[in-house]
Amino acid sequence: MPLAAVRRGEILESVHRGRLVVADAAGEVLRFAGDPDGYVCLRSAAKPIQALPTVFTGAAGAYALTGEELAVTCASHGGEPRHVAAVRSILKKAGLSERHLRCGGHPPLHAPSARDLFRSGGEPSAVHDNCSGKHAGMLLACVHNGWDVGSYRSPDHPLQRLVLRTVARCCGAKPEEVRIGVDGCGVPVFALPLRGLAAGFARLATGNGLPEDLAEAAARVRAAMRAHPFMVAGTGRLDTEVMRAADLISKGGAEGVLAVGSPEGWGLAVKVSDGAGRAAGPAAAAALAEMGVKLPRTGALSPGITNRSGEVVGALEILF
Amino acid sequence: MPLAAVRRGEILESVHRGRLVVADAAGEVLRFAGDPDGYVCLRSAAKPIQALPTVFTGAAGAYALTGEELAVTCASHGGEPRHVAAVRSILKKAGLSERHLRCGGHPPLHAPSARDLFRSGGEPSAVHDNCSGKHAGMLLACVHNGWDVGSYRSPDHPLQRLVLRTVARCCGAKPEEVRIGVDGCGVPVFALPLRGLAAGFARLATGNGLPEDLAEAAARVRAAMRAHPFMVAGTGRLDTEVMRAADLISKGGAEGVLAVGSPEGWGLAVKVSDGAGRAAGPAAAAALAEMGVKLPRTGALSPGITNRSGEVVGALEILF
């Protein structure tokens, strides 16, 4: 269904369609727009769940991960110096180095950090990849559990099999109901009904509905995300701004995915059908307002569209 | 209507809707998918038309613009050194400097050129803006015609009024049917029925259906684009690859717009409803195949989706 319109002056320029679901920790759908049972490819919205095995297998405790380090294992980070330092610290604790990261690599998403890297004669490497924290956390889990570190991206690797089972348990799906692809960073990516993602974030945010091992790990992960929102994304980024403005956990993913969990016991999942990230935040903000959570409409949540001289020339309008 | 699906392994991840029209120089619709009469905001697909006044007012001739320079006035260029040099040359011929450009500014779209700029201690400026060639051409027309160069972006400026009339004449619309907004670079942007854009490119590509002054200017503009496809976009970019591969003129625009003109007397216009550029090229390639034009499915026209390690993990599938 139509979620948002992009207006340029009086011109209706583009339209984003999509789906939203609010569900509780029991998996009950509280509100929805579009088909709540339709599948969504979780992309990076799964990262806080993918981080759970690093905690419940004992790796995070054994290697004394700090809150900042645990938060960056849940991140799509901007490659800012603090992000890069935290990733390097995790690798050092694991006795590994950047060459063990197999996430690919790209210039820091944070443009000034990319500029500074080039200015100093540096080259973007795997540690700047927005997924490097997730990969470092996965590698730490492999080291702690005695699993092979060279093949950690393979769907058949014991860690990835454990991640799949964890995603299924957290989101209330059977493992065979979860569809698997390959994410932009090379590890398995998961698809399941949108209502499952919403319920999963209700559980992550409260522990309700989770077995004891997952509930304890979820408590540590959400505490880290809440205490260090900068580490989950970065300067001017949506997740960081949402978590700074409200008592929520928030994790976006590529292709217009956003998942939010509230300590009040509900989760919100958004999928923009065409994959446009720009519509996910404003659509989520509108849905969160209906749930009684007011977010500032500034920065990453601003509906304004500006030209390159900074003049406002249009707006993104919510349609649902 | 659905144009393309984004698949990630066996997961259907995202879907792009949109419209396509093929029309001839008389404005007759030959083929269509979706509503051909619905409006489209032309964005940068209008640039070859916006360049016509620089030619038919005599500015291009009086200042002896080269083919490369005329091509860059039609460009959404990558900010590569040859693009920047051509823009600076136009400004020099006009007796102006970079500070007269009011397009804003952003790092070169061509990532290695952006990296080299930062490495050398440079800062992105207006001349690197992908629209700087268009602005330089507009400034040249102002100087030649004795119009104010400080206010050239204003919809009331004699140049912009002339551009509006030219867009309307070329696309077969009445000026009052053309809706106006502000483009990303600050000059007026135009919206009109999609069939008009297709017909306009049929006329640009042939001169058929144009009054003599526009037909002569169109001949010069298309010759420049055909002779210098690199100057219209750049390394690895869609318009450049299309024009190198086939006897067409091609100009894309922001928000999923693409217009193509054939010397056989037809034009194709594509609008991806959600604004996604990634679907415009493959959709156009499929429509062009039906018109007997085969394009290589490599580079910017490849349907493959890769992860950051370069592995193919999905594909964009045409649905119409």
Side-chain angles (χ1 to χ4, degrees):
Chain A
M1 62 174 294
L3 284 190
V6 177
R7 290 194 180 276
R8 180 169 290 271
E10 295 182 1
I11 301 167
L12 171 61
E13 183 160 30
S14 298
V15 174
H16 296 292
R17 302 170 71 92
R19 298 174 287 138
L20 300 95
V21 183
V22 178
D24 65 18
E28 288 297 311
V29 171
L30 307 179
R31 289 165 182 261
F32 67 97
D35 179 11
D37 293 316
Y39 271 58
V40 58
C41 187
L42 306 187
R43 302 300 299 267
S44 289
K47 279 175 176 166
I49 306 173
Q50 288 169 299
L52 295 176
T54 303
V55 177
F56 70 68
T57 64
Y63 292 86
L65 283 199
T66 65
E68 287 213 345
E69 289 161 0
L70 187 54
V72 89
T73 71
C74 306
S76 300
H77 65 72
E80 299 181 62
R82 280 174 60 196
H83 301 130
V84 172
V87 174
R88 287 186 169 139
S89 176
I90 297 170
L91 290 168
K92 190 176 177 192
K93 288 180 177 180
L96 302 175
S97 71
E98 293 178 36
R99 70 181 173 78
H100 292 92
L101 291 174
R102 296 200 52 216
C103 42
H106 57 75
L109 295 180
H110 181 243
S113 294
R115 184 199 59 201
D116 292 347
L117 179 67
F118 290 127
R119 275 223 175 116
S120 67
E123 277 290 346
S125 68
V127 78
H128 303 103
D129 191 292
N130 78 88
C131 298
S132 66
K134 175 178 74 175
H135 284 246
M138 288 177 168
L139 283 164
L140 188 82
C142 291
V143 169
H144 179 68
N145 290 287
W147 297 327
D148 181 58
V149 296
S151 60
Y152 74 96
R153 303 192 316 169
S154 167
D156 298 326
H157 188 283
L159 174 69
Q160 298 301 344
R161 293 207 309 263
L162 183 56
V163 168
L164 167 61
R165 290 198 299 278
T166 305
V167 168
R169 288 169 76 200
C170 192
C171 296
K174 294 175 185 162
E176 60 270 26
E177 291 173 333
V178 180
R179 294 180 198 152
I180 298 178
V182 181
D183 212 337
C185 62
V187 299
V189 73
F190 311 103
L192 45 74
L194 191 65
R195 63 188 296 167
L197 177 59
F201 267 67
R203 293 173 189 131
L204 269 182
T206 58
N208 297 344
L210 291 177
E212 193 171 347
D213 59 335
L214 289 190
E216 284 179 12
R220 283 208 56 194
V221 163
R222 75 170 169 268
M225 293 174 73
R226 290 288 315 144
H228 306 287
F230 175 83
M231 299 306 289
V232 180
T235 302
R237 300 274 305 284
L238 181 67
D239 291 322
T240 299
E241 293 195 359
V242 168
M243 290 193 284
R244 281 179 175 161
D247 185 14
L248 299 168
I249 54 170
S250 174
K251 189 68 198 77
E255 297 286 328
V257 176
L258 183 63
V260 171
S262 165
E264 294 178 5
W266 49 264
L268 163 70
V270 179
K271 166 65 183 178
V272 183
S273 302
D274 55 71
R278 68 177 172 187
L288 289 170
E290 292 184 17
M291 299 302 292
V293 179
K294 294 277 184 214
L295 293 173
R297 300 305 301 277
T298 56
L301 286 162
S302 167
I305 291 173
T306 54
N307 66 16
R308 293 193 292 280
S309 298
E311 299 143 355
V312 175
V313 297
L316 194 140
E317 286 180 15
I318 295 301
L319 299 177
F320 66 93
Chain B
M1 62 174 296
L3 283 189
V6 176
R7 291 195 180 275
R8 181 168 290 271
E10 295 182 1
I11 300 167
L12 170 61
E13 183 160 28
S14 298
V15 175
H16 296 291
R17 303 169 70 91
R19 298 173 287 138
L20 301 96
V21 184
V22 177
D24 65 19
E28 289 296 310
V29 171
L30 307 179
R31 289 165 183 261
F32 66 97
D35 179 10
D37 293 316
Y39 270 57
V40 58
C41 187
L42 307 187
R43 303 299 300 268
S44 289
K47 279 175 176 166
I49 306 172
Q50 288 169 299
L52 296 177
T54 303
V55 178
F56 69 67
T57 64
Y63 292 86
L65 283 199
T66 65
E68 287 212 345
E69 289 162 359
L70 187 54
V72 89
T73 71
C74 306
S76 300
H77 66 72
E80 299 181 62
R82 279 174 59 196
H83 301 130
V84 172
V87 173
R88 287 186 169 138
S89 176
I90 297 170
L91 291 168
K92 190 177 176 190
K93 288 180 178 181
L96 302 175
S97 72
E98 294 178 34
R99 68 181 175 77
H100 291 93
L101 291 173
R102 295 200 52 216
C103 43
H106 57 74
L109 296 180
H110 181 244
S113 294
R115 184 198 60 201
D116 291 347
L117 179 66
F118 290 128
R119 278 226 172 113
S120 66
E123 277 289 346
S125 68
V127 77
H128 303 103
D129 191 293
N130 78 88
C131 298
S132 67
K134 175 178 72 175
H135 284 244
M138 288 178 168
L139 283 164
L140 188 80
C142 291
V143 168
H144 179 68
N145 291 286
W147 297 327
D148 180 59
V149 296
S151 59
Y152 74 95
R153 304 191 317 169
S154 167
D156 298 326
H157 188 283
L159 174 69
Q160 298 303 342
R161 293 208 308 264
L162 183 57
V163 168
L164 168 60
R165 289 198 301 276
T166 304
V167 168
R169 288 169 76 199
C170 191
C171 296
K174 294 175 185 162
E176 60 269 26
E177 291 174 333
V178 180
R179 292 181 199 151
I180 298 178
V182 181
D183 212 338
C185 62
V187 297
V189 72
F190 311 103
L192 44 74
L194 191 64
R195 62 189 295 168
L197 178 58
F201 267 67
R203 293 172 189 133
L204 270 182
T206 58
N208 298 344
L210 290 178
E212 193 172 346
D213 58 335
L214 289 190
E216 284 178 12
R220 283 208 56 193
V221 163
R222 75 171 170 267
M225 294 174 73
R226 290 288 315 145
H228 307 287
F230 174 83
M231 298 306 289
V232 179
T235 303
R237 299 274 304 286
L238 182 67
D239 291 323
T240 299
E241 292 194 359
V242 168
M243 290 191 285
R244 280 179 176 162
D247 185 14
L248 299 168
I249 55 171
S250 173
K251 188 67 198 76
E255 297 285 330
V257 177
L258 183 63
V260 172
S262 164
E264 295 178 4
W266 49 264
L268 163 70
V270 179
K271 165 66 183 177
V272 183
S273 302
D274 55 71
R278 67 178 172 187
L288 289 170
E290 292 184 18
M291 298 302 293
V293 179
K294 294 278 184 213
L295 293 173
R297 301 306 302 276
T298 56
L301 286 161
S302 166
I305 291 173
T306 55
N307 66 16
R308 293 193 292 280
S309 297
E311 299 143 356
V312 175
V313 296
L316 194 140
E317 287 179 15
I318 295 301
L319 299 176
F320 65 93

